[in-house]
Amino acid sequence: MLTIYGAYRSRATRNLWLAGELGIPFTHVPVVQAKRLDDPLAPDAPINTLSPAFLAINPMGSIPSIEDDGVIVHESLAINLYLAKKYGGALGPQDLSEDAAMMQWALFAVTEIEANALKISYASLGEPTDETKAVIEVAARSLKRPFDVLEQHLTGKTYMIGERFTVADINLAEIVRYAQSHAPLFDARPALKAWLERVQARPAFKAMWEKRLAEPATGPV
Ligand SMILES: N[C@@H](CCC(=O)N[C@@H](CS)C(=O)NCC(=O)O)C(=O)O
């Protein structure tokens, strides 16, 4: 039996979306970020990234983590690659070259896109100021090359790998999403924009997103 540790308002979305696509039963433990709580160690605090019970699962104190029949895995993208191989059928790799491509795009997303996309996400939260506008402009400039690579890769294609929806689409889309509020990045890249809209139209994404919106947004997420 699979257990997913991590609130919907966290990178656990990546795993919760995939679990929905897989249609596998799982237990959800909504561990929240300690920084969202006034006193994470208070006896009545909800389970969070500093709770001893969670640190026993992941000593790094970060979400998400999973436990699957005794196998514990951390790191959202590694978790998804594991789940896709174990339960994924067509969502996972069919041969070594697809396995390499799925790893390649996951590492590309996290090393070339995530930090700058997150800057855009955080800077877009409140009323725009000169400072946040400058942060967004610099981050968007840094995303130009990796987004151009994605645009080129996706032109004439429906999905990232093998013309079918796979874990590679989830891992990338959940990182590209952080930059989604900055429309010019997507208006200039129609294939990337259409792909993101296509994968976000999937019932499993929508179901995950509905649960995320229903979750209390206490403190910074
Ligand atoms: N590279 C990790 C990053 C995990 C991470 O930074 N998670 C955040 C929440 S999205 C967290 O747990 N922060 C700890 C905290 O705020 O207490 C992954 O992809 O799983």
Side-chain angles (χ1 to χ4, degrees), residues 8-9 203-215:
Y8 277 88
R9 291 183 185 270
F205 175 85
K206 289 201 215 163
M208 176 280 284
W209 197 251
E210 226 170 84
K211 288 190 176 158
R212 178 177 159 106
L213 293 178
E215 205 177 70

Side-chain angles (χ1 to χ4, degrees), residues 9-12 14 32-36 49-50 61-64 74-77 79 110 114 178 221:
R9 291 183 185 270
S10 79
R11 288 171 175 83
R14 301 165 187 180
V32 298
Q33 295 89 336
K35 66 185 175 195
R36 289 167 60 182
T49 49
L50 286 181
S62 71
I63 46 175
H74 315 303
E75 290 293 328
S76 56
L77 303 180
I79 292 169
V110 79
E114 187 171 62
Y178 296 138
V221 178

Side-chain angles (χ1 to χ4, degrees), residues 48-70:
N48 65 79
T49 49
L50 286 181
S51 300
F54 179 63
L55 290 173
I57 298 289
N58 184 356
M60 272 302 288
S62 71
I63 46 175
S65 291
I66 61 157
E67 194 269 320
D68 179 47
D69 293 331

